[in-house]
Amino acid sequence: MSAEVVSSILNPDGDTASVNYYDKIPVDHLDYGYIEKCTNVKYLERILRMLTSGEEGIYPHLIQFCENHLEKLNPNSRALRKEKPVGTAASLPKDEWSQITDELKNPFSTGDKNRSKKALPCDYKEWDKFDVDKECERVDGIVTKDPPVVINAGHPKIKPKVNATALSEQEKVVLADREKDKGNDAFRANDFEEAVAYYSRSLSIRQTTTAYNNRAQAEIKLQRWHNALKDCQRVLELEPGNMKALLRRATVYNQQGHLKMAAEDLRNVLREEPQNATATKLLVEVDKKLIECTPELQSKGKKILIQEVESDDDDDEEDKEDDQKEGKTVLVEYLPPPSSLSLPARPVEPSQPVGGESAASPVERGDMGNAQKKPHGRGDGGSHGDTGNSHGNRRNRGGSSDKYKVGQESATDKGLVNGSQGGKKGSAAEPGSSGGSSKGAPTAWGEASGANNLDAPSGALPPPLARLKNEGNLLFKNGQFADALDKYTQAITGFTDSGIESPEDLCILHSNRSACYLKDGNCQDCIQDCTKALELQPFSLKPLLRRAMAYEALERYRKAYVDYKTVLQIDNGVQSAHDSVNRITRMLIDQDGVDWREQLPEIPLVPLSAQQHRRDEPPSAELQQARAEKATQDAARRAEVRFTALKQEGNEFVKKAKFQDALGKYSECLKLKPDECAIYTNRALCFLKVERFAEAKQDCDSALKLEPTNKKAFYRRAMANKGLKDYLACSTDLQEVLQQDPNVQEAEKELEEVTVLLRQSLAAGSPAKPRKPVPITEVDDGDEEEGPDATAATAKVGGGRPASESPTTINLQPANAYEFGQALNAARSQGNAAACASLLSSVAPESLPQYLSTQLDGQTVCFIMQALDTHLLEKDPDLVYRHLSHLHTTDRFSVVLMLLEKEERGQMTQLFEHLSAVDSGGHFTKDEVQNLANKYI
């Protein structure tokens, strides 16, 4: 149905049937006569809106007339509604105004107690949920406590998605914000199901971090931890480092039991917002749970990662590079908890494998018997034969060797695992070491051919004992700790029976056997072997560390603390010792109170020689290079940040006209970056402002060395030269600026001013009478006259009077710039243009700028021009053109050209006119002559 048909139906009289509701109202309809005759209410409303909008001007009487006529046709028209003015003290009764002011002064008075804190419903669906009886009870003073969470029993009827494909981007933003606001209202009303639905609708229109964060909070209220975690992860993908997302993800992790991950997120939040009370409170709660859950983990089994590391393990002869090789996992075994140990269980990470030691510090790769990892359980049915050693009680303490056995093929493909023994150089290797391997040499255990090099020498041990030790190392490497224990015991017994004097080797054997005891859970025997090893080699690192772990496993925390502190005196880079000290300190404080230190045994003082044992070893070349590169990068980064800050501060001082302060900042910048051209020009500007012209010139010179075409440096050096009253140099710099950019108006004005000053200075420096050239006559020695007559004749020549002697001879073949200058001056003093032309003919045009560089002035230029025009042009015009092509490149030529008088310039113009008229014989064209003339005229 068209608009005309609708209009005809609404207006059967047909007076305004042709009205179009979509076009702009014509101006002639804004008239008393038209309004009076118009009966179309809708059109009158449009006319009234246009009049009140002021688009065509303000006509109060016409507006009133239109309102009256519209009121007659439709008294209830919306166009007649007017905004009620703001109430004031004059428009309200006194009692009502007093009540309003009292409520404003006391917003938390008793009258507000029964007000509902819930958000009012915003649509009809929400009004259906409104509890009228409950609200009446609130008004009557009967307040009932709301439940903390309203969880709808059924699914929300609101569709979680909105089809916004046909909307523009701006419309999507508006609609998404509207849905998000509805979700906020539902959240404040504790209707979290509905809040989730509205937030989902907002996200279906447009994805924002705010909507994801809000939905995550609503999901947390509904205890939907998985959905909340997904929303937090999505926020962190869109905006890494979002504090709300980190805090809410930490809340989810806390509820899911991932306490370490929750603590990490909370620490990230507190690193950015140290005053965040919610994060602080939650972190305290998480830390408390971590401490409380430690005993619970002791009663559970855990996974032990046995890793194989290819490295040489000679005690003090391995390279630190071999100490840091990565391990390779070969066995994952789930073990039951030991019956006699109560070590705090911790997750086994790939960076801390268990089962043997690397050659590095014993913590860098899962130490033998690490206190942070549980030793193997006892009594798993494996029995071992007695080898006749004194440790008979070791039977049935180790697990079955078959339990840990690895195939022969895999065993031969892996290196042995153990750390270096803290002793003197040349000591034998511990479990897994190749006894005869030199420092940095590869082990022979990984060779597929041969018998794994079990006969390799090991320190001062005889071959049979060295073989036993090597077999123990191989068994330990394969996780067969009980069998390795037998081999080490046989080696110790044979060592004692043979009467060998090598405490280093015996120390290593006891230390290796202590590692097997510790892996087997036999902490008492481990302590005995470690004590024997320390008696043989005091302050050996590995026995001390293993004994400390055994003490801690037996809950002898004071002795464990002493051993750990001793280890740190020997090598303060053992991270496991640091961690254990911190852990045991908390336990001792809980056990003994604040005076726990007084009950500790005395901590032995490690001699300096033992402390330097490991510290004196230089790091590898790769490590040194990496540290140097990192230090260089860090220093460059810090210097760049400080340089930028100082430059910005200097610029701010310049804007505030604090040039002295700016000078200090720019000087500090140059200490960091002495090759920064912009800093030199900026500091030169500050020197100019404080009238330190010499320093300004030096900075400009430095800038031009870095950037020879820097306009700012040329201009500011010109200003410095002007301040130093060196007008000639100032003019040269200004001309260079204009040559680079002719549109620099400041340079043009300064050049005009400097030109006037230069002429004034030259005029002031000239004597009252012009100088006259004095001819010098050469006299042979034989013609010298003696007596007063000769003196008088010489005086006449010196006075410049014309004498009868012949004029000075002109050298027409000069060999250097000095001779050329002497000849040119002689020709000019005599006014001999022909001689000057001959002189120019004998000189190559390319060398003319070099000959004239030290003595070019206006008179010389004019004299050369005269000689070229009158004598040389007819003979050789090509030579004249070439001389003119090189003459203008002479130093200071532009300044001399600027100082020429009008007559002298006319002479120069005449020369170029003659040159363009002469026949060049094809050597040059008139256009080339014109281009050359532009450089002179």
Side-chain angles (χ1 to χ4, degrees):
M1 184 179 292
S2 63
E4 288 79 9
V5 177
V6 174
S7 179
S8 63
I9 294 173
L10 294 175
N11 302 283
D13 298 336
D15 54 341
T16 57
S18 61
V19 174
N20 191 339
Y21 292 98
Y22 303 102
D23 294 338
K24 187 176 181 181
I25 299 174
V27 180
D28 55 357
H29 287 187
L30 306 180
D31 182 67
Y32 286 97
Y34 183 86
I35 294 174
E36 185 179 5
K37 294 178 182 179
C38 182
T39 59
N40 190 326
V41 175
K42 297 292 184 181
Y43 195 67
L44 276 176
E45 289 178 349
R46 289 187 61 201
I47 293 175
L48 181 59
R49 291 192 188 97
M50 175 173 278
L51 290 172
T52 54
S53 67
E55 294 180 7
E56 300 294 339
I58 303 298
Y59 306 98
H61 297 290
L62 184 59
I63 294 173
Q64 185 64 36
F65 180 78
C66 185
E67 289 177 350
N68 295 337
H69 186 59
L70 181 60
E71 187 176 3
K72 292 177 184 179
L73 298 176
N74 185 10
N76 297 325
S77 175
R78 288 179 176 271
L80 296 175
R81 298 179 183 179
K82 297 182 179 180
E83 294 183 359
K84 189 175 180 180
V86 179
T88 60
S91 62
L92 295 175
K94 185 176 181 181
D95 296 340
E96 186 175 353
W97 182 256
S98 300
Q99 182 180 356
I100 293 173
T101 55
D102 292 342
E103 290 179 355
L104 291 174
K105 291 178 181 178
N106 301 310
F108 303 104
S109 60
T110 56
D112 293 338
K113 286 184 178 179
N114 296 330
R115 289 188 180 181
S116 175
K117 295 182 180 179
K118 296 182 179 180
L120 292 177
C122 57
D123 57 12
Y124 291 107
K125 292 181 181 178
E126 295 186 6
W127 278 111
D128 293 339
K129 304 174 186 177
F130 189 74
D131 192 346
V132 180
D133 296 334
K134 186 176 180 180
E135 196 65 27
C136 292
E137 290 178 357
R138 284 181 176 275
V139 174
D140 295 337
I142 305 173
V143 181
T144 57
K145 188 174 181 181
D146 292 336
V149 178
V150 177
I151 301 178
N152 294 339
H155 296 287
K157 297 180 180 179
I158 304 171
K159 294 182 179 180
K161 292 186 178 181
V162 177
N163 186 7
T165 55
L167 300 179
S168 64
E169 189 63 29
Q170 186 175 3
E171 290 171 341
K172 287 182 181 179
V173 172
V174 174
L175 186 57
D177 289 344
R178 188 179 300 168
E179 296 295 330
K180 185 191 68 177
D181 292 339
K182 291 180 182 179
N184 295 343
D185 293 338
F187 187 91
R188 286 193 289 268
N190 289 341
D191 194 348
F192 303 118
E193 286 280 2
E194 190 167 315
V196 170
Y198 279 122
Y199 290 139
S200 300
R201 289 169 63 87
S202 175
L203 290 169
S204 67
I205 301 167
R206 183 169 174 268
Q207 294 187 359
T208 60
T209 57
T210 305
Y212 275 118
N213 262 330
N214 292 359
R215 190 171 72 174
Q217 185 64 21
E219 297 283 8
I220 290 173
K221 292 290 185 181
L222 295 172
Q223 300 181 4
R224 298 174 183 170
W225 312 119
H226 182 68
N227 293 341
L229 182 60
K230 287 172 60 178
D231 284 344
C232 293
Q233 297 286 15
R234 182 59 179 157
V235 173
L236 293 173
E237 290 175 4
L238 297 174
E239 184 183 336
N242 187 288
M243 294 297 106
K244 286 187 178 180
L246 286 173
L247 184 59
R248 287 166 189 172
R249 188 173 70 174
T251 304
V252 174
Y253 281 152
N254 181 30
Q255 295 295 332
Q256 292 180 337
H258 303 310
L259 301 179
K260 289 189 176 181
M261 301 169 73
E264 182 180 356
D265 281 348
L266 291 172
R267 290 189 181 95
N268 291 334
V269 172
L270 291 174
R271 192 176 297 115
E272 299 294 333
E273 300 177 1
Q275 305 302 326
N276 193 319
T278 305
T280 305
K281 182 178 178 181
L282 187 57
L283 182 59
V284 172
E285 179 183 344
V286 170
D287 288 341
K288 186 177 180 182
K289 287 183 179 180
L290 281 172
I291 297 174
E292 291 175 353
C293 74
T294 302
E296 298 176 2
L297 295 176
Q298 296 175 5
S299 61
K300 300 179 182 179
K302 58 178 266 187
K303 287 185 178 181
I304 298 295
L305 301 182
I306 300 177
Q307 296 191 351
E308 307 299 337
V309 181
E310 298 180 1
S311 64
D312 293 338
D313 291 330
D314 278 356
D315 270 63
D316 296 320
E317 296 181 4
E318 307 103 333
D319 199 348
K320 280 192 175 182
E321 296 175 9
D322 295 333
D323 294 351
Q324 299 174 354
K325 290 183 180 178
E326 292 294 330
K328 180 177 180 183
T329 303
V330 297
L331 180 63
V332 178
E333 186 92 21
Y334 190 86
L335 300 177
S339 58
S340 62
L341 299 180
S342 59
L343 292 179
R346 295 180 180 272
V348 179
E349 300 178 358
S351 61
Q352 293 180 341
V354 179
E357 296 176 359
S358 68
S361 60
V363 186
E364 294 180 8
R365 277 174 294 152
D367 212 344
M368 295 176 67
N370 195 332
Q372 296 182 0
K373 302 168 179 61
K374 292 184 180 180
H376 296 282
R378 306 181 190 176
D380 52 359
S383 62
H384 308 280
D386 190 4
T387 58
N389 61 48
S390 60
H391 299 275
N393 58 356
R394 63 175 173 78
R395 293 185 180 183
N396 299 329
R397 297 198 179 197
S400 173
S401 60
D402 294 335
K403 178 178 180 181
Y404 299 99
K405 281 187 178 178
V406 185
Q408 182 67 22
E409 179 180 355
S410 62
T412 58
D413 292 337
K414 297 173 176 62
L416 298 181
V417 181
N418 192 18
S420 60
Q421 169 73 24
K424 297 180 181 179
K425 292 185 178 182
S427 60
E430 290 202 3
S433 67
S434 174
S437 61
S438 61
K439 187 174 183 179
T443 61
W445 300 106
E447 301 291 339
S449 61
N452 291 327
N453 201 15
L454 295 177
D455 295 327
S458 178
L461 294 176
L465 299 182
R467 182 178 180 85
L468 287 173
K469 178 176 176 245
N470 294 334
E471 289 175 352
N473 293 347
L474 180 61
L475 291 169
F476 186 92
K477 167 248 181 182
N478 289 334
Q480 299 167 243
F481 305 118
D483 295 339
L485 184 65
D486 289 337
K487 297 296 181 182
Y488 292 137
T489 303
Q490 294 177 30
I492 292 173
T493 303
F495 187 98
T496 306
D497 296 341
S498 63
I500 303 172
E501 292 294 334
S502 179
E504 295 89 352
D505 294 326
L506 185 58
C507 172
I508 293 173
L509 289 173
H510 280 292
S511 179
N512 290 1
R513 191 171 69 175
S514 70
C516 296
Y517 281 134
L518 191 59
K519 288 293 184 183
D520 201 23
N522 188 351
C523 296
Q524 291 289 355
D525 290 340
C526 173
I527 293 173
Q528 292 179 11
D529 267 349
C530 290
T531 303
K532 291 179 181 178
L534 291 171
E535 290 174 357
L536 295 168
Q537 291 288 320
F539 302 112
S540 295
L541 185 66
K542 285 185 178 294
L544 273 171
L545 190 58
R546 289 166 185 161
R547 189 174 70 176
M549 293 174 183
Y551 278 139
E552 185 179 3
L554 295 175
E555 297 184 5
R556 301 179 187 176
Y557 297 124
R558 297 189 185 96
K559 293 185 177 181
Y561 182 88
V562 171
D563 280 348
Y564 279 131
K565 294 295 286 185
T566 308
V567 167
L568 291 177
Q569 290 186 63
I570 299 172
D571 186 356
N572 57 9
V574 182
Q575 186 59 40
S576 67
H578 285 287
D579 297 340
S580 300
V581 165
N582 295 335
R583 182 172 60 253
I584 294 175
T585 299
R586 292 194 295 269
M587 294 178 180
L588 289 176
I589 291 174
D590 294 340
Q591 175 181 321
D592 300 333
V594 294
D595 298 331
W596 63 278
R597 293 183 184 275
E598 298 179 0
Q599 304 182 31
L600 290 175
E602 183 181 358
I603 300 175
L605 183 62
V606 178
L608 187 61
S609 59
Q611 295 178 20
Q612 294 176 348
H613 162 65
R614 290 183 179 271
R615 296 178 188 172
D616 287 345
E617 295 182 2
S620 63
E622 292 80 0
L623 183 60
Q624 287 180 340
Q625 183 179 0
R627 288 177 180 175
E629 291 177 356
K630 186 177 185 302
T632 303
Q633 293 175 0
D634 293 343
R637 191 180 303 111
R638 289 193 298 269
E640 183 66 29
V641 172
R642 177 164 174 76
F643 173 82
T644 305
L646 289 172
K647 181 180 178 182
Q648 186 64 28
E649 292 175 5
N651 295 343
E652 293 296 331
F653 281 134
V654 170
K655 292 177 182 178
K656 297 176 183 179
K658 298 181 179 179
F659 303 109
Q660 199 64 42
D661 295 334
L663 282 173
K665 298 298 180 182
Y666 289 139
S667 299
E668 291 183 29
C669 285
L670 289 175
K671 292 179 182 178
L672 297 174
K673 285 189 176 182
D675 295 334
E676 193 71 19
C677 180
I679 303 301
Y680 282 110
T681 56
N682 291 359
R683 192 171 71 169
L685 175 63
C686 298
F687 280 134
L688 290 174
K689 294 296 184 180
V690 296
E691 298 183 356
R692 294 166 61 178
F693 302 113
E695 290 90 338
K697 183 178 179 181
Q698 291 178 2
D699 278 352
C700 292
D701 291 338
S702 301
L704 289 172
K705 288 180 182 178
L706 298 172
E707 293 184 14
T709 60
N710 191 293
K711 285 192 301 184
K712 288 185 178 180
F714 276 116
Y715 182 78
R716 289 170 185 172
R717 188 172 71 174
M719 295 299 98
N721 286 326
K722 182 180 178 182
L724 295 172
K725 297 184 180 181
D726 188 356
Y727 301 121
L728 186 60
C730 175
S731 175
T732 304
D733 288 339
L734 291 173
Q735 290 183 44
E736 182 66 28
V737 173
L738 292 173
Q739 185 176 355
Q740 293 184 18
D741 187 359
N743 299 322
V744 182
Q745 298 180 357
E746 294 83 356
E748 292 181 358
K749 294 178 181 179
E750 290 291 342
L751 182 58
E752 293 176 1
E753 182 180 350
V754 169
T755 302
V756 175
L757 293 174
L758 180 59
R759 289 178 178 174
Q760 291 176 356
S761 64
L762 292 175
S766 61
K769 295 181 180 180
R771 297 180 180 179
K772 296 181 180 180
V774 178
I776 301 174
T777 304
E778 295 182 0
V779 181
D780 295 336
D781 294 340
D783 297 338
E784 290 184 0
E785 299 180 3
E786 297 181 359
D789 295 338
T791 304
T794 304
K796 285 184 180 181
V797 173
R801 298 171 187 171
S804 59
E805 293 83 2
S806 60
T808 305
T809 305
I810 299 175
N811 182 12
L812 298 180
Q813 298 294 330
N816 49 47
Y818 175 76
E819 294 179 359
F820 179 85
Q822 292 293 328
L824 183 61
N825 289 335
R828 190 181 66 181
S829 63
Q830 297 175 11
N832 192 346
C836 180
S838 301
L839 181 63
L840 293 173
S841 300
S842 63
V843 174
E846 294 80 7
S847 59
L848 184 61
Q850 181 181 0
Y851 287 167
L852 292 174
S853 60
T854 59
Q855 52 187 359
L856 188 66
D857 54 19
Q859 294 179 358
T860 302
V861 171
C862 292
F863 186 65
I864 291 174
M865 292 291 178
Q866 180 184 358
L868 293 174
D869 188 16
T870 56
H871 294 84
L872 197 58
L873 182 60
E874 295 180 358
K875 298 179 181 179
D876 193 352
D878 180 54
L879 182 61
V880 173
Y881 177 78
R882 288 191 291 135
H883 273 304
L884 292 175
S885 299
H886 291 85
L887 179 60
H888 69 88
T889 62
T890 309
D891 293 342
R892 303 194 308 164
F893 179 81
S894 57
V895 179
V896 172
L897 188 64
M898 181 181 59
L899 299 176
L900 293 179
E901 299 294 341
K902 185 177 180 180
E903 295 79 5
E904 296 169 339
R905 290 179 180 274
Q907 182 181 356
M908 193 177 297
T909 303
Q910 182 180 357
L911 170 61
F912 281 101
E913 290 177 353
H914 294 165
L915 183 61
S916 60
V918 76
D919 184 13
S920 63
H923 295 290
F924 54 85
T925 63
K926 290 185 178 181
D927 292 337
E928 292 175 345
V929 174
Q930 183 62 38
N931 293 334
L932 185 59
N934 292 334
K935 299 179 181 179
Y936 286 84
I937 303 172

